[in-house]
Amino acid sequence: MQVTFQLVKDCYRRIMVRLGLEVHFVSADPGKMGGHASEEVHVLCESGDNDILGDGRKSVEVGHLFSLGTHYSVPYNCTVKGTDGSSVPLQMGSFGLGVTRLLPVIVEAGLSNGGFTFRKELSPFDAILVPAPKQDVTTMLNYLKE
């Protein structure tokens, strides 16, 4: 489970770097979720409500990683075959990024000069059409035809 936990954590770090965000992982109490390890995924931003670094910079929690171990598999008798063929309890984890939390942070990070830069990593297409006032439609169509 430790290897998987670290692989997911590294993957999340790479995702945040590609999105141009400064990410920090913070140890957390697993609480009612259970297990033995838990880390929150935080991204620094002005609109954040957490001071995770203690220096006044704010962050938003955008994800969480839980190493559940056998917390759920033992009580429910969930097993897999081990290398020697015997049944061993399943090792479990729970990992997630909150898209609804992440998108506003990405928008905030992309704001500059009064506008928003939509990062290519987020864009499903290489072109985005933006509606224009009716009087500009003909001008825009002529431009696009050229």
Side-chain angles (χ1 to χ4, degrees):
M1 185 74 252
Q2 290 176 334
V3 171
T4 301
F5 191 91
Q6 190 60 49
L7 287 171
V8 173
K9 185 175 175 178
D10 292 344
C11 180
Y12 284 7
R13 184 180 312 281
R14 287 191 308 274
I15 289 169
M16 298 305 156
V17 167
R18 287 181 186 163
L19 295 175
L21 303 172
E22 185 176 339
V23 64
H24 294 272
F25 294 89
V26 180
S27 294
D29 181 349
K32 291 181 180 181
M33 187 72 161
H36 58 274
S38 170
E39 290 191 33
E40 296 174 347
V41 184
H42 283 259
V43 173
L44 294 184
C45 67
E46 290 180 23
S47 63
D49 55 2
N50 299 295
D51 183 8
I52 59 167
L53 302 177
D55 62 1
R57 290 189 292 171
K58 300 296 184 176
S59 72
V60 171
E61 181 185 345
V62 296
H64 214 118
L65 300 96
F66 292 94
S67 178
L68 302 171
T70 61
H71 182 79
Y72 293 100
S73 59
V74 168
Y76 291 100
N77 198 29
C78 295
T79 61
V80 294
K81 297 286 181 192
T83 55
D84 63 357
S86 65
S87 292
V88 294
L90 185 67
Q91 294 289 318
M92 300 175 70
S94 176
F95 311 100
L97 289 176
V99 176
T100 57
R101 287 179 172 223
L102 195 52
L103 284 176
V105 174
I106 292 167
V107 169
E108 182 179 310
L111 291 175
S112 62
N113 300 326
F116 171 67
T117 303
F118 199 81
R119 297 186 64 92
K120 183 176 175 155
E121 293 81 3
L122 290 173
S123 177
F125 305 102
D126 289 335
I128 298 174
L129 297 179
V130 179
K134 285 186 178 184
Q135 63 270 22
D136 293 338
V137 171
T138 304
T139 305
M140 183 184 294
L141 287 173
N142 289 334
Y143 175 78
L144 291 172
K145 288 178 185 177
E146 295 175 3

